Amino acid sequence: MIKTRLCELIGIEYPIFQGGMAWVSTGELVAAVSEGGSLGIIGSGQAPADWLRQEIHKVKAITQKPFGVNVMLMSPFVEEVMQVILEERVPVITTGAGNPGKYVPMLKEVGTKVIPVVASVALAKRLEKVGVDALIAEGMESGGHVGEIGTLPLVPQVVDAVNIPVIAAGGIVDGRGLVAALALGAEGVQMGTRFMCAEECTIAQLVKDKILKAKDRSTVVTGRSTGHPVRCLENPFTREMDQHEREGMPAEELEKLGVGKLRLAMVEGDVENGSIMSGQVAGAVRRIEPAAQIIQDVMQSAEQEYERLSARFREGRA
């Protein structure tokens, strides 16, 4: 069985995080992932604090195992969200879109592990200095907001730059990705897109169908001119955004066009006019299945891949 420092740090059986995706990672999915032995993470996005508390209570009603909350630090509700996390004593938070440094002392006081998402070595070094517990090094293959460095070059550089555990994210869908991440020095992986097709995920069925039909080149990145590029499945909305961007529409106007589009897709099922945030691995997702089965498939295939590689090295055929 594959065990790493991450398992000991968080108290989970398997070194797998489920990405905290806004309008996707609700209490139902998070509880199923945590109950399955990995870390389920609620995606708080820009939701208000009352919504987050409701989702936390959903998770606690189903499982006693560790879970997390992803906090977008640019959310207008970030202060209220942090207060809920403190009051509910959430075991883990992951963060994005900013530096969580000012919140670290109070979170540690209640025993919450702080694990930011980073897309560069420089940010990884800064965050280690403020006392975070681990880091998620996320490559541009991931869905949603992305950086400019791929997972393969990013992860080992972050690993070499810090002493705390690193979780690899972006482009990981099965046990081969887990073994590759471990070979790069990571202590675990974070997966988002595959968990979108978990039975317990409450997103619109039309979105799941789009993921299952996706090919290797089905995702595109829009919004680079705004400084906040986003990877989504290509659809009429992304083509409209791309057209406006090429015509030089101001960043403020582009950002206004994107407001509410993620919810439009994930909750309302409008796969033509909504934003279907998804990673490049969408083309490798084959079926809808229980979250626990996804986790078992990743772990079993990782062990099989490890054994296959070990045998090849022993035989001198690597």
Side-chain angles (χ1 to χ4, degrees):
M1 189 64 66
I2 297 172
K3 297 284 186 183
T4 69
R5 280 193 299 170
L6 183 66
C7 299
E8 298 173 5
L9 176 69
I10 306 299
I12 53 179
E13 190 173 355
Y14 308 118
I16 300 171
F17 281 19
Q18 160 252 305
M21 302 165 281
W23 299 114
V24 176
S25 305
T26 60
E28 294 87 348
L29 173 61
V30 172
V33 171
S34 289
E35 190 65 14
S38 297
L39 188 76
I41 302 174
I42 298 169
S44 66
Q46 297 198 44
D50 288 346
W51 178 90
L52 176 59
R53 195 186 299 274
Q54 170 186 303
E55 298 306 308
I56 290 172
H57 290 174
K58 280 185 190 177
V59 176
K60 289 182 175 181
I62 297 172
T63 184
Q64 300 301 308
K65 295 185 177 181
F67 69 95
V69 171
N70 176 261
V71 179
M72 191 183 80
L73 296 169
M74 291 177 63
S75 165
F77 304 108
V78 64
E79 298 299 332
E80 297 95 328
V81 161
M82 284 295 186
Q83 189 59 40
V84 168
I85 288 169
L86 292 169
E87 292 171 3
E88 297 289 344
R89 295 181 177 265
V90 172
V92 178
I93 74 161
T94 63
T95 65
N99 187 329
K102 73 174 186 175
Y103 303 106
V104 170
M106 64 183 75
L107 289 164
K108 283 184 169 290
E109 191 173 326
V110 299
T112 299
K113 299 292 190 294
V114 184
I115 307 179
V117 176
V118 300
S120 71
V121 170
L123 181 57
K125 288 180 175 179
R126 287 202 302 273
L127 291 174
E128 183 181 33
K129 289 179 181 177
V130 302
V132 302
D133 296 282
L135 294 164
I136 299 168
E138 184 175 74
M140 67 178 297
E141 299 92 329
S142 64
H145 294 279
V146 296
E148 293 293 337
I149 307 174
T151 303
L152 195 62
L154 177 64
V155 171
Q157 291 184 72
V158 172
V159 167
D160 290 347
V162 300
N163 294 309
I164 53 180
V166 174
I167 298 101
I172 298 164
V173 73
D174 58 20
R176 292 173 294 182
L178 173 54
V179 172
L182 295 175
L184 295 174
E187 304 275 354
V189 297
Q190 177 169 282
M191 296 167 41
T193 303
R194 187 168 179 185
F195 281 116
M196 291 172 70
C197 283
E199 286 183 1
E200 297 88 352
C201 183
T202 61
I203 60 174
Q205 182 62 41
L206 287 172
V207 175
K208 294 184 181 183
D209 292 341
K210 290 284 285 187
I211 293 172
L212 295 176
K213 293 175 183 176
K215 306 299 182 185
D216 57 335
R217 299 184 65 184
S218 292
T219 67
V220 294
V221 176
T222 62
R224 281 194 169 95
S225 64
T226 69
H228 303 289
V230 177
R231 183 178 298 283
C232 305
L233 289 178
E234 185 178 22
N235 66 355
F237 169 69
T238 65
R239 290 192 286 274
E240 178 189 3
M241 289 287 287
D242 181 64
Q243 179 69 23
H244 287 314
E245 197 163 8
R246 284 190 283 111
E247 292 172 350
M249 178 179 281
E252 298 80 10
E253 295 299 316
L254 282 169
E255 290 179 344
K256 286 179 183 177
L257 284 177
V259 173
K261 293 300 194 296
L262 181 61
R263 187 184 190 283
L264 184 64
M266 300 303 176
V267 178
E268 299 180 30
D270 188 340
V271 295
E272 300 296 309
N273 303 299
S275 175
I276 311 172
M277 293 186 184
S278 170
Q280 288 184 318
V281 296
V285 179
R286 308 297 185 197
R287 57 192 173 274
I288 296 171
E289 57 193 330
Q293 182 57 47
I294 292 173
I295 295 164
Q296 288 303 312
D297 178 72
V298 171
M299 295 308 302
Q300 290 170 10
S301 61
E303 290 168 13
Q304 290 168 1
E305 189 64 19
Y306 176 80
E307 290 300 325
R308 184 185 71 81
L309 289 171
S310 296
R312 294 187 69 177
F313 275 109
R314 286 195 299 269
E315 296 166 7
R317 295 190 294 113

